[in-house]
Amino acid sequence: MQGESGRSIILTGATGFLGAFLMAGLLERGYQVTVLGRPSGDIRLSDRLTRLTRWFNIDPGEKLAAIEADFSKKHLGLDDKAYGDLCADAGKIIHCASDTSFAERNRDRVMNTNVESLPSLLDFAADSRAEHLYYVSTAYACGRCDGICMETPVTARSFNNVYEESKAQAEEVIRRSCEDSGVPLSILRPSIVYGHSKTGKALKFNALYYCVKSISVIRDIFVNDLRQGGGKSGKWGFFLDDDGVLYLPLRIHLPNRGSVNLIPVDYFVETVLCIIEHSGTNEIYHITCGDPPDIMTLAEYSQRFLGVRGIRVLWNQSGKITDPNPAEELFERLFEPYRPYLSDNRIFDRSRTHGITHGVSAPPFTYEIFENCMAYAVACEWGKAAGLSG
Ligand SMILES: NC(=O)c1ccc[n+]([C@@H]2O[C@H](COP(=O)([O-])OP(=O)(O)OC[C@H]3O[C@@H](n4cnc5c(N)ncnc54)[C@H](OP(=O)(O)O)[C@@H]3O)[C@@H](O)[C@H]2O)c1
C-alpha cells in the first residue's frame, strides 16, 4: 500500500455498482487501492475483486489489496497488528458501502449499516489521521423538499423512505465526527446512476432499469396471453399489431410534471476522481444532471425499446388511477418505491461541483445511450447472468 501522498486510497463498497466502477477508475488512474469489504458466502473478498477486475478487463497487479473487515466491530473487526498496519498508511478514504434498500421492512438493517456502524470507520479515519474522507451520500438525502437544493448540510426532517433518512443521518454523524477529529471531509451526492454511457455496462439494475424491466415483464405476460387466444387481454383492449408491437393501454399517473435526475456511472467516476484530486475541505458536491429527462421521454424510449405502444403519462394530485386494468395494477405495485423520483421538480445546485470539473456535465440522455444500457441489461438478464452477484 506504499504510495506517494494522495495516491493511496482505502475504498469501501467496491463489490457494489458504484464502488466497483470507482475501483476500476482509481486503478486505471494509477492509484493504490485497498478495499475494505466482506466475503459473500464462501467467496473471499479477494476472489470477488478478482472477478470484478476481470469483468473490467483490468490487471491490477500489486495495486489492489483486499482486507476483510466488519464495519460494525471495533477496529473494523481486525486484530491489533492488521489494524495498526492499515492505520499506518491509510491515505485517503472513500466510504461508498451502504445498504441501498428503500423497504421499510429492512429499516433495522439499513439503519444499522448506514448509521450505527459508522463509528468504527470514523475512528479508523481519526486513528489513521486520514488525509481526507469522502463519503458517498445521495442527492436524495435532502428528503421531501421543493425548489433548489443547495450543496449544503441537510435540514429536512421528512423523507420518502428509510434509505434517504439513513443517508441524511449518516451525513450528520460523519460531519460531526470529522469536525471533532479534524479529518478533512467531502460529501459526494450523486442522483440516480445508470450504466456506462459508452459501453452500456452496469452491475446493478434497479431504479430506471427496474421500471423498464417492469414494463417488459408486463409486456411478456400479455403477449403470451394474446398468443394463446387472448381471453383476458382482449377484454381490456390489448392487441398485437401485424408487426408484433403490443398495444398496451398503460396509464402512469404522477402528481406533477417533473423530471428524473439520471447520471451515467462513467460521469460519476470522472467527477469523483476530479473531486479527489482537486477538492477543498468540508464541502458537499452534487453529482447530478443539469438537464434531466422527463418521464414522457423515458416512456417513449421504453416503448420504442420494448416494442410496445399505448403508454400514457397523466398528471393528477392524488396520483391514483381510476378503474385500473390488470397491467396498470401490476405496474403501480412494481414502480411504487420509485414514484417520488419520477416527477421531480427540484433543482440540484451544482455550483461547487461545476467549479471543480470546469463545467463538465453529464451527457444528454439520448435514446442511443438508453438503448445501449437496456440492451446490456437484457443480455445479462437484468444482472442474473452477469456472474458477479457473489
Ligand atoms: N446506485 C445509485 O443510483 C446511487 C445513487 C446515489 C447514491 N448512491 C450511493 O452510492 C453508494 C453505492 O451505491 P451502489 O448503488 O453501488 O450500492 P450497491 O450496489 O448496493 O453496493 C453496496 C455496497 O455496500 C456494501 N455493503 C452493504 N451493506 C454492507 C455491510 N453491512 N457491511 C459491509 N459492506 C456492506 C456491499 O457489499 P456486499 O457486496 O458485500 O453486499 C456493496 O459493496 C451508496 O452509498 C449509495 O447510497 C447510489
Side-chain angles (χ1 to χ4, degrees):
M1 202 165 59
Q2 294 299 328
E4 67 190 85
S5 172
R7 305 301 290 178
S8 178
I9 303 260
I10 304 269
L11 175 66
T12 72
T15 49
F17 176 25
L18 270 51
F21 274 86
L22 207 45
M23 173 179 73
L26 288 162
L27 290 169
E28 278 165 354
R29 208 73 144 224
Y31 283 91
Q32 179 76 45
V33 182
T34 299
V35 170
L36 299 182
R38 57 186 180 179
S40 173
D42 55 5
I43 309 171
R44 289 179 310 163
L45 176 64
S46 54
D47 292 333
R48 298 179 75 192
L49 298 184
T50 302
R51 284 185 186 180
L52 282 165
T53 50
R54 283 201 191 120
W55 186 77
F56 282 108
N57 229 346
I58 291 174
D59 177 5
E62 300 295 308
K63 290 266 180 201
L64 180 63
I67 296 182
E68 291 187 3
D70 184 341
F71 303 135
S72 68
K73 294 202 172 131
K74 188 173 180 231
H75 289 179
L76 304 165
L78 303 174
D79 62 35
D80 288 350
K81 159 109 180 54
Y83 187 72
D85 288 351
L86 190 64
C87 284
D89 201 6
K92 296 179 176 178
I93 302 171
I94 306 177
H95 184 37
C96 192
S98 187
D99 193 311
T100 50
S101 170
F102 291 180
E104 186 56 30
R105 67 177 177 282
N106 295 329
R107 169 172 283 275
D108 289 351
R109 199 190 71 201
V110 172
M111 282 297 180
N112 227 311
T113 300
N114 297 356
V115 185
E116 279 131 45
S117 292
L118 286 171
S120 181
L121 193 97
L122 293 167
D123 284 348
F124 165 59
D127 292 346
S128 64
R129 297 179 192 278
E131 264 176 60
H132 206 117
L133 173 64
Y134 300 90
Y135 172 57
V136 182
S137 182
T138 165
Y140 303 103
C142 62
R144 289 196 172 122
C145 60
D146 294 316
I148 300 180
C149 301
M150 303 303 289
E151 292 166 303
T152 51
V154 173
T155 52
R157 290 287 165 262
S158 165
F159 300 93
N160 287 301
N161 51 52
V162 63
Y163 167 72
E164 287 185 0
E165 189 182 334
S166 72
K167 299 297 279 188
Q169 282 191 24
E171 282 195 12
E172 184 63 19
V173 169
I174 294 172
R175 267 189 336 104
R176 288 222 180 115
S177 167
C178 287
E179 266 167 33
D180 289 348
S181 65
V183 173
L185 169 72
S186 295
I187 294 176
L188 317 176
R189 291 188 185 151
S191 53
I192 302 166
V193 185
Y194 63 90
H196 194 289
S197 65
K198 296 192 181 66
T199 65
K201 283 176 93 168
L203 276 165
K204 208 169 72 177
F205 302 90
N206 57 9
L208 169 67
Y209 293 94
Y210 191 76
C211 294
V212 179
K213 183 183 170 191
S214 299
I215 300 173
S216 100
V217 167
I218 292 168
R219 175 201 62 187
D220 292 348
I221 291 171
F222 291 100
V223 166
N224 282 339
D225 181 60
L226 285 163
R227 290 204 171 123
Q228 287 165 20
K232 282 189 205 135
S233 311
K235 182 180 155 213
W236 291 99
F238 303 3
F239 62 89
L240 275 172
D241 283 354
D242 292 343
D243 53 5
V245 171
L246 174 68
Y247 178 71
L248 180 70
L250 180 77
R251 291 164 295 169
I252 301 174
H253 273 220
L254 288 167
N256 51 271
R257 283 174 191 271
S259 55
V260 189
N261 205 301
L262 297 166
I263 56 162
V265 70
D266 44 317
Y267 172 71
F268 167 76
V269 171
E270 279 308 310
T271 307
V272 174
L273 290 174
C274 205
I275 292 170
I276 287 173
E277 285 160 8
H278 304 291
S279 75
T281 298
N282 299 326
E283 288 174 342
I284 298 175
Y285 298 89
H286 278 152
I287 309 178
T288 54
C289 178
D291 183 21
D294 61 17
I295 183 82
M296 318 280 274
T297 305
L298 295 181
E300 185 201 315
Y301 286 2
S302 301
Q303 296 202 97
R304 193 166 150 195
F305 180 74
L306 295 170
V308 164
R309 65 185 182 86
I311 298 178
R312 284 185 303 149
V313 183
L314 305 170
W315 319 100
N316 71 12
Q317 268 305 317
S318 77
K320 294 272 178 275
I321 301 178
T322 48
D323 198 14
N325 66 39
E328 290 168 336
E329 272 177 4
L330 185 52
F331 187 72
E332 284 281 304
R333 269 210 312 277
L334 292 172
F335 105 126
E336 190 56 33
Y338 297 108
R339 189 188 280 278
Y341 308 104
L342 298 180
S343 56
D344 199 344
N345 281 323
R346 291 170 295 194
I347 294 166
F348 295 101
D349 176 61
R350 296 180 301 142
S351 308
R352 191 168 294 118
T353 306
H354 253 219
I356 291 253
T357 60
H358 302 295
V360 174
S361 295
F365 191 60
T366 59
Y367 179 71
E368 286 64 35
I369 290 182
F370 175 89
E371 184 182 36
N372 212 5
C373 289
M374 293 305 150
Y376 182 82
V378 169
C380 69
E381 297 172 40
W382 309 93
K384 262 192 260 160
L388 291 160
S389 50

